């Protein structure tokens, strides 16, 4: 549903790789992403937006709560987007009930600034099955659904704006997902930026629901080669980081740590 048209003078984005913008490449390990694109839509509608993006890849919800939420509260912007907990859900033994408690504390603090706070449900893991990649059914999907119910309940309690990623079937298309099978492509980010703008009532050119071009189905051999490439390039390094207690975001700083004009 299209929200009421609003004007924002300042915007802070919080979260992990999803909000940092992986894998909407700008070159030299720099990324654009849906949040940057949303900021551009807002600034085009009302020039002069000040924008900060505190998101850092690999961050757990606890780290976002400790490192990013206090900074966003200090900035006191008109608009905040908050998406965190996805990395927690990927960990063995993830507890959506425990995640929801910390999540609620974060949005309570953010909402107290008087900002419009936008939150996101998790993507439906079944999308990976749609793409022929497996891993979408069973216990993990149930946990994501449980966390989504918590997010909606928290949103009702604190009057938050919700972007429902679970229901965005257009993003189940294989072209929306990078070869790492975890992050959106540039086109996926573009569409999501348009979708968030629509929810906020920010005018923007483009239709995020537009049909995707047809893609020929892969042969069994092509699919197997892709699976092996993915395992070597993405999955095994991820497992190695988990074993060593490291994160892809270790030592990284936010790409836009302060509120500045675009």
């Amino acid at each position: 549903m299209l929200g009421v048209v609003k004007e924002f003078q300042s915007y802070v984005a919080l979260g992990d790789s999803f909000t940092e913008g992986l894998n909407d490449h700008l070159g030299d390990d720099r990324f654009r992403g849906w949040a940057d694109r949303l900021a551009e839509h807002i600034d085009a509608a009302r020039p002069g937006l000040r924008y900060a993006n505190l998101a850092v890849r690999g961050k757990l919800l606890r780290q976002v709560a400790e490192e990013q939420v206090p900074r966003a509260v200090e900035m006191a912007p008109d608009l905040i987007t908050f998406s965190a907990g996805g990395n927690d859900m990927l960990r063995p033994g993830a507890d959506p009930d425990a995640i929801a408690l910390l999540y609620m504390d974060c949005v309570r603090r953010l909402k107290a600034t008087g900002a419009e706070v936008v939150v996101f449900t998790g993507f439906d893991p079944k999308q990976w099955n749609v793409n022929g990649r497996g891993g979408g059914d069973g216990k993990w999907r149930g946990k994501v659904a449980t966390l989504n119910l918590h997010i909606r309940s928290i949103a009702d309690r604190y009057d938050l704006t919700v972007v429902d990623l679970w229901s965005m079937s257009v993003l189940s298309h294989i072209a929306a997902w990078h070869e790492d099978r975890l992050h959106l492509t540039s086109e996926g980010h573009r569409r999501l930026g348009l979708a968030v703008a629509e929810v906020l009532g920010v005018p923007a050119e483009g239709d995020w629901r537009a049909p995707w071009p047809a893609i020929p189905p892969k042969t069994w051999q092509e699919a197997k080669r892709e699976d092996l490439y993915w395992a070597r390039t993405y999955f095994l390094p991820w497992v190695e980081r988990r074993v060593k207690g490291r994160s892809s975001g270790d030592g990284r700083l936010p790409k836009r740590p302060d509120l500045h004009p675009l």
Side-chain angles (χ1 to χ4, degrees), residues 77-98:
D78 301 320
L79 174 66
I80 297 171
T81 56
F82 177 76
S83 177
N87 288 317
D88 301 72
M89 292 295 290
L90 291 173
R91 300 295 176 94
D95 182 353
D97 299 327

Side-chain angles (χ1 to χ4, degrees), residues 160-177:
L160 311 176
T161 299
V162 179
V163 177
D164 188 13
L165 300 178
W166 182 281
S167 69
M168 289 185 180
S169 58
V170 70
L171 293 180
S172 69
H173 195 278
I174 192 170
W177 295 94

Side-chain angles (χ1 to χ4, degrees), residues 43-62:
D43 188 65
R46 187 186 186 282
L49 177 75
R50 294 180 301 133
Y51 169 52
N53 189 318
L54 307 181
V56 176
R57 68 195 72 172
K59 293 297 182 181
L60 298 170
L61 177 58
R62 172 186 53 78

Side-chain angles (χ1 to χ4, degrees), residues 34-242:
W34 66 264
D36 287 16
R37 292 170 181 271
L38 173 63
E40 292 162 9
H41 294 317
I42 296 171
D43 188 65
R46 187 186 186 282
L49 177 75
R50 294 180 301 133
Y51 169 52
N53 189 318
L54 307 181
V56 176
R57 68 195 72 172
K59 293 297 182 181
L60 298 170
L61 177 58
R62 172 186 53 78
Q63 294 171 308
V64 174
E66 295 173 354
E67 301 167 10
Q68 299 178 28
V69 170
R71 180 62 178 141
V73 170
E74 179 184 327
M75 292 180 183
D78 301 320
L79 174 66
I80 297 171
T81 56
F82 177 76
S83 177
N87 288 317
D88 301 72
M89 292 295 290
L90 291 173
R91 300 295 176 94
D95 182 353
D97 299 327
I99 292 170
L101 288 174
L102 180 53
Y103 188 101
M104 181 167 62
D105 182 66
C106 289
V107 298
R108 176 188 60 79
R109 293 154 62 193
L110 296 172
K111 189 66 179 180
T113 66
E116 174 92 5
V117 178
V118 179
V119 296
F120 300 77
T121 64
F123 288 104
D124 183 354
K126 196 173 182 179
Q127 290 169 344
W128 279 269
N129 280 349
V130 172
N131 293 339
R133 290 168 171 174
D137 290 324
K139 179 186 279 189
W140 188 46
R141 190 178 188 225
K143 287 187 174 184
V144 175
T146 299
L147 182 58
N148 283 351
L149 290 173
H150 280 303
I151 290 172
R152 286 200 166 276
S153 177
I154 293 167
D156 288 343
R157 179 172 179 175
Y158 290 99
D159 192 26
L160 311 176
T161 299
V162 179
V163 177
D164 188 13
L165 300 178
W166 182 281
S167 69
M168 289 185 180
S169 58
V170 70
L171 293 180
S172 69
H173 195 278
I174 192 170
W177 295 94
H178 186 263
E179 65 182 17
D180 68 3
R181 305 183 182 183
L182 190 61
H183 301 102
L184 294 172
T185 58
S186 292
E187 178 61 12
H189 279 286
R190 186 190 73 83
R191 288 177 183 245
L192 183 53
L194 288 171
V196 181
E198 179 181 285
V199 170
L200 289 171
V202 175
E205 293 187 8
D207 180 7
W208 64 271
R209 299 178 181 85
W212 293 86
I215 296 179
K218 292 182 175 62
T219 65
W220 181 89
Q221 292 85 353
E222 290 172 333
K224 182 59 66 176
R225 282 196 297 269
E226 283 193 1
D227 286 344
L228 291 173
Y229 173 79
W230 171 80
R232 290 194 306 268
T233 307
Y234 299 106
F235 181 67
L236 291 178
W238 182 85
V239 171
E240 182 180 9
R241 289 196 298 271
R242 297 289 78 74

